[in-house]
Amino acid sequence: MRHIHCRTDTRGINAFVTMTLTHDERARYARHISLPEFGEEGQLRLKRGSVLVIGAGGLGSPVAMYLAAAGVGRIGIADGDNVDISNLQRQIIHTTADIDRPKVISAARKMKDINPDIKVEPINTFIDSRNISNIIETYDFVIDATDSMGIKFLVNDTCVDMGKPYNHGAIWHYEGQTMTVLPGTADYRSLFPEEPAADSVNTLPQGPLGVVPGILGTIQAAEAIKYLSGAGTLLTDRLLRFDLRTMQFHVIALR
């Protein structure tokens, strides 16, 4: 069995860890290993890596499922909510049997069913200004899968202050947008310099179409996988937006 010594690169993945893939892992990830620019080293980087998913709802569902399936070694999922019947139209990691259960417990169970070899850390609490720094500190990459504009600003500002790479995602009705933020690149305040007043934000439920978070969450998971593995080009200094009504995708350059 070949040993790979993974070193620190500019993306800050943990250094000098010697690790191998088991026979079962080679079979499970055979399609990844066969990919150009990915290979065994890319899969080992996923195994060594860690991602925190903030939100276990519409966006967090596909994010968590695909990160688990891909073989990210340690995945934290933070949310303080319970599963409600109205969630099931889009939050595909939960089932009818999970109604009234904590979302993170429901999600963790499905993630381990997909891939029993990974470590899943359910964090049954809402992220706020008092706990966010301690929660995100030990993860390599953070994914904002929340539906609160206030929390989006909090995640952005904390990750920027701590130099923590993260991916932003947001949906509305039939639309979605995402960008990846590394130290020194454009961040959420490049889009919205100031947080809007609370009374100016419509908090009434309006959508989304159920498949919209599935599309966007899958893209968010892809950004985390690319970051950890080193494969491909990240969505830094660029905002990807799509409208499912017209099936148009646009990439907007950011300063």
Side-chain angles (χ1 to χ4, degrees):
M1 185 175 293
R2 185 164 64 99
H3 288 67
I4 289 181
H5 297 267
C6 297
R7 299 168 179 255
T8 299
D9 62 13
T10 56
R11 297 181 181 182
I13 308 302
N14 295 330
F16 301 108
V17 176
T18 301
M19 185 176 290
T20 60
L21 296 176
T22 66
H23 175 77
D24 285 347
E25 287 172 331
R26 286 175 176 274
R28 181 183 290 269
Y29 308 122
R31 300 303 178 93
H32 275 179
I33 294 169
S34 70
L35 282 172
E37 301 181 34
F38 200 96
E40 183 172 323
E41 183 169 354
Q43 192 60 51
L44 286 170
R45 285 172 174 260
L46 293 188
K47 184 175 180 177
R48 295 171 51 231
S50 59
V51 178
L52 173 67
V53 184
I54 302 178
L59 293 175
S61 290
V63 170
M65 293 173 76
Y66 271 107
L67 294 182
V72 174
R74 183 169 71 99
I75 306 169
I77 185 158
D79 198 317
D81 205 0
N82 293 336
V83 178
D84 182 81
I85 192 171
S86 65
N87 302 148
L88 302 181
Q89 159 257 14
R90 64 201 177 280
Q91 300 182 18
I92 58 171
I93 204 166
H94 311 300
T95 68
T96 302
D98 296 314
I99 290 172
D100 294 330
R101 290 175 182 164
K103 286 185 179 181
V104 295
I105 302 302
S106 166
R109 182 179 297 128
K110 311 306 189 309
M111 294 162 71
K112 292 292 285 185
D113 285 345
I114 292 169
N115 192 342
D117 296 328
I118 63 170
K119 181 178 182 181
V120 181
E121 298 172 339
I123 305 166
N124 189 19
T125 188
F126 291 110
I127 294 291
D128 59 31
S129 60
R130 298 165 297 180
N131 62 23
I132 185 170
S133 296
N134 288 335
I135 289 175
I136 73 174
E137 184 177 14
T138 64
Y139 293 92
D140 295 322
F141 193 83
V142 176
I143 292 183
D144 165 25
T146 69
D147 59 5
S148 164
M149 184 166 284
I151 298 301
K152 291 186 183 303
F153 277 96
L154 177 63
V155 172
N156 177 83
D157 294 349
T158 305
C159 287
V160 170
D161 288 345
M162 296 178 66
K164 184 72 66 175
Y166 95 98
N167 175 269
H168 153 77
I171 54 175
W172 176 252
H173 291 191
Y174 302 91
E175 303 171 24
Q177 69 177 35
T178 184
M179 63 187 291
T180 294
V181 179
L182 302 184
T185 68
D187 60 60
Y188 192 54
R189 288 191 182 271
S190 302
L191 299 174
F192 304 103
E194 299 295 333
E195 185 175 350
D199 58 4
S200 70
V201 179
N202 187 349
T203 58
L204 294 176
Q206 294 184 332
L209 187 69
V211 296
V212 171
I215 294 169
L216 186 65
T218 303
I219 295 172
Q220 292 186 274
E223 287 292 283
I225 291 168
K226 287 158 55 183
Y227 175 82
L228 293 176
S229 68
T233 302
L234 295 169
L235 273 171
T236 51
D237 295 320
R238 296 177 296 156
L239 180 72
L240 173 66
R241 301 190 69 179
F242 66 83
D243 187 331
L244 212 60
R245 291 168 296 187
T246 60
M247 205 55 83
Q248 290 184 318
F249 286 68
H250 302 282
V251 177
I252 303 166
L254 300 174
R255 295 182 183 273

